[in-house]
Amino acid sequence: MEMESLPNGNSGGSDSGSATPVGSIAGLTPVASKLSHLAESLKLEHQFLRVPFEHLKKSMRANQRIVEKEMNAVMSSVVEAADRDLMSNEEAVQHLTSLVSRLQGLKRKLEEGSRTEHLQVQKCRVRFDHLDEVEVENSSEWNNTRLKRILVDYMLRLSYYDTAMRLAESSNIQDLVDIDVFLDAKKVIDALQNKEVTPALAWCAENRSRLKKSKSKFEFQLRLQEFVELVRAENNLRAITYARKYLAPWGATHMKELQRVMATLAFKSNTECATYKVLFEPKQWDYLVEQFKQEFCKLYGMTLEPLLNIHLQAGLSALKTPFCYEDDCTKEDPLSHESFRKLALPLPFSKQHHSKLVCYITKELMDTENPPLVLPNGYVYSTKALEQMAKKNDGKITCPRTGVVCNFTDLVKAFIS
């Protein structure tokens, strides 16, 4: 037999058809098993900590650039004044007033930047504290919060910003989600959907060093699209000037793409040649939007797929067996539903081992006729044994190995294929 889904590793069983009492090979107490499960869950929280940290680094770099730019300007102005031989009192006062005004402006910017950095540091601290709160006792509440975080992430990626913000506010998890980061990205996405590249180019300029390190082609693709739009408007002279200024520097690394787009000057926007016609199609803007989303996720250390998709795929893959797609698949199996089958279609089947599952109480084989039931403490026994126990004890079940008492209605069925 193959065990499709049993919690906490307390199901037992052995390979090659040998009979083993259920739960005998687990060797873990329920508490230890839950702690192990929580520890594994924390390994999935890389994005949770990485995003606010990257946002903080970006703010710090921006503030540093402002300081360097303003201080260089002030120092240049001071040196220029010192080099002048003659300066009237009036000019000197005016010059000093200008410098003071500039330094006061810098002070205001630094104060604002400091507040922003402080808020982002607070967000990092809140997230560390949230991860530190994981305990067996409150794991249900903690997992519920994580589910809401995953749903907010999914909504933000699909541009349901208002719904995401309402869920975050109603659940009081604003510091545990990345709404502010996605709202920054929204400005670029909206502009690209309106066929404007200026905000996207500004974003590339802000993150040029990071994009260069990852060998990103996004800025080049934006420049190509801007060139194509000039050709579409039949402004060829301006297009050639633009190409010399912005496209020529990319020639050493992207010559083929450059040659192809330059040929549009001869073929025009109404060409029927498939090679060049595709460059003028509106879907090119959709490609830019998708490319920006990928570059944005890479920059902040996010997964390219929404976290909800990743968790669903992992769960469905673990449940997926050939039996799930047969007509006599039990209706209690999640993959008996068409919607789940469709989601699981591209996923691999879970790795299964042939085992015989034997009830610890009755020593009888557990199969589809006598399926295993899972107690709240994670231990598993056959339906037949637990039904007999419930009849004798007014619906109460006592785990023969731990002494835990629960109601028969609290049991959960595990699926065997």
Side-chain angles (χ1 to χ4, degrees):
M1 286 302 187
E2 295 177 355
M3 196 59 172
E4 184 174 335
S5 176
L6 290 177
N8 300 333
N10 291 330
S11 61
S14 61
D15 296 343
S16 306
S18 61
T20 304
V22 173
S24 63
I25 66 170
L28 293 173
T29 64
V31 172
S33 179
K34 286 185 178 180
L35 283 172
S36 175
H37 176 70
L38 290 173
E40 290 298 315
S41 297
L42 290 179
K43 292 179 181 179
L44 302 174
E45 299 296 343
H46 174 77
Q47 172 178 318
F48 181 63
L49 295 176
R50 176 79 181 273
V51 175
F53 179 67
E54 290 295 337
H55 200 200
L56 173 60
K57 284 169 60 180
K58 182 180 177 182
S59 298
M60 292 173 68
R61 285 195 298 268
N63 291 336
Q64 184 180 357
R65 283 196 296 268
I66 291 172
V67 172
E68 290 175 353
K69 180 181 176 182
E70 292 296 323
M71 289 307 298
N72 286 338
V74 169
M75 293 306 297
S76 297
S77 183
V78 170
V79 170
E80 181 186 343
D83 289 342
R84 290 178 63 176
D85 295 331
L86 295 173
M87 182 183 288
S88 65
N89 291 340
E90 224 176 88
E91 288 176 328
V93 169
Q94 186 177 356
H95 191 75
L96 289 172
T97 303
S98 174
L99 289 177
V100 169
S101 177
R102 188 155 198 165
L103 288 171
Q104 287 174 339
L106 175 59
K107 182 184 176 184
R108 286 193 297 271
K109 289 179 182 177
L110 287 176
E111 288 173 348
E112 184 180 342
S114 178
R115 284 193 295 271
T116 302
E117 289 178 16
H118 179 72
L119 290 173
Q120 290 167 357
V121 168
Q122 275 298 113
K123 182 171 285 191
C124 291
R125 185 177 290 112
V126 168
R127 296 194 181 194
F128 276 115
D129 291 342
H130 175 68
L131 294 182
D132 194 45
E133 290 171 359
V134 183
E135 297 174 359
V136 174
E137 289 77 10
N138 69 347
S139 61
S140 176
E141 181 183 345
W142 192 89
N143 282 324
N144 187 41
T145 300
R146 182 169 67 165
L147 174 60
K148 291 175 181 176
R149 290 197 283 111
I150 291 171
L151 290 174
V152 170
D153 172 83
Y154 183 77
M155 293 172 188
L156 290 171
R157 288 175 187 257
L158 270 65
S159 302
Y160 300 133
Y161 301 104
D162 291 340
T163 308
M165 286 189 282
R166 288 183 182 180
L167 176 57
E169 289 171 5
S170 63
S171 306
N172 196 27
I173 57 171
Q174 293 95 323
D175 286 337
L176 302 180
V177 292
D178 304 306
I179 293 175
D180 50 347
V181 175
F182 278 95
L183 288 179
D184 288 341
K186 180 180 183 296
K187 298 172 187 175
V188 176
I189 293 170
D190 289 346
L192 289 174
Q193 289 173 340
N194 291 326
K195 301 183 178 181
E196 299 174 10
V197 299
T198 304
L201 288 171
W203 183 83
C204 289
E206 287 177 12
N207 302 283
R208 181 162 286 124
S209 61
R210 299 286 304 282
L211 294 173
K212 186 177 181 180
K213 190 179 294 183
S214 65
K215 298 180 180 178
S216 169
K217 292 173 58 177
F218 182 54
E219 184 177 355
F220 177 63
Q221 297 294 342
L222 291 172
R223 296 295 185 187
L224 290 183
Q225 190 61 42
E226 205 163 21
F227 176 85
V228 167
E229 294 305 316
L230 289 172
V231 174
R232 191 199 304 275
E234 299 185 357
N235 199 339
N236 289 355
L237 287 177
R238 190 177 167 194
I240 293 170
T241 303
Y242 184 90
R244 286 173 178 167
K245 183 175 181 180
Y246 295 110
L247 296 182
W250 297 85
T253 52
H254 300 88
M255 181 56 74
K256 286 186 178 179
E257 296 101 316
L258 194 53
Q259 289 174 335
R260 182 187 176 203
V261 80
M262 290 300 295
T264 58
L265 288 167
F267 282 88
K268 308 294 182 183
S269 60
N270 57 357
T271 180
E272 292 301 319
C273 180
T275 304
Y276 304 103
K277 183 179 180 180
V278 68
L279 295 175
F280 292 99
E281 291 180 355
K283 66 181 179 181
Q284 293 296 326
W285 289 99
D286 297 331
Y287 294 151
L288 286 176
V289 170
E290 289 306 312
Q291 192 173 352
F292 168 73
K293 287 180 179 179
Q294 290 189 13
E295 296 294 344
F296 169 77
C297 289
K298 288 178 186 176
L299 193 73
Y300 282 101
M302 298 181 185
T303 56
L304 298 181
E305 283 275 328
L307 292 174
L308 182 62
N309 290 7
I310 293 172
H311 283 79
L312 277 176
Q313 288 168 357
L316 290 174
S317 182
L319 293 171
K320 185 179 177 182
T321 65
F323 178 77
C324 298
Y325 290 86
E326 295 180 7
D327 294 335
D328 58 347
C329 174
T330 174
K331 296 302 180 185
E332 294 178 339
D333 187 338
L335 282 165
S336 66
H337 300 284
E338 190 60 35
S339 56
F340 282 116
R341 286 182 177 182
K342 194 176 293 184
L343 284 172
L345 196 60
L347 302 175
F349 289 106
S350 60
K351 184 179 180 181
Q352 303 288 329
H353 296 287
H354 293 286
S355 302
K356 286 183 179 179
L357 302 174
V358 178
C359 178
Y360 179 83
I361 300 173
T362 64
K363 303 298 185 285
E364 293 182 5
L365 191 68
M366 290 191 289
D367 53 21
T368 52
E369 300 300 322
N370 184 28
L373 293 178
V374 187
L375 274 64
N377 64 358
Y379 284 96
V380 182
Y381 305 99
S382 67
T383 299
K384 182 178 177 181
L386 296 177
E387 283 179 345
Q388 290 174 354
M389 188 184 296
K391 286 179 182 177
K392 294 177 182 178
N393 297 287
D394 297 325
K396 297 289 183 182
I397 300 295
T398 302
C399 178
R401 305 172 70 196
T402 65
V404 172
V405 179
C406 64
N407 294 319
F408 185 81
T409 53
D410 296 333
L411 306 182
V412 179
K413 182 179 286 187
F415 301 102
I416 297 179
S417 60

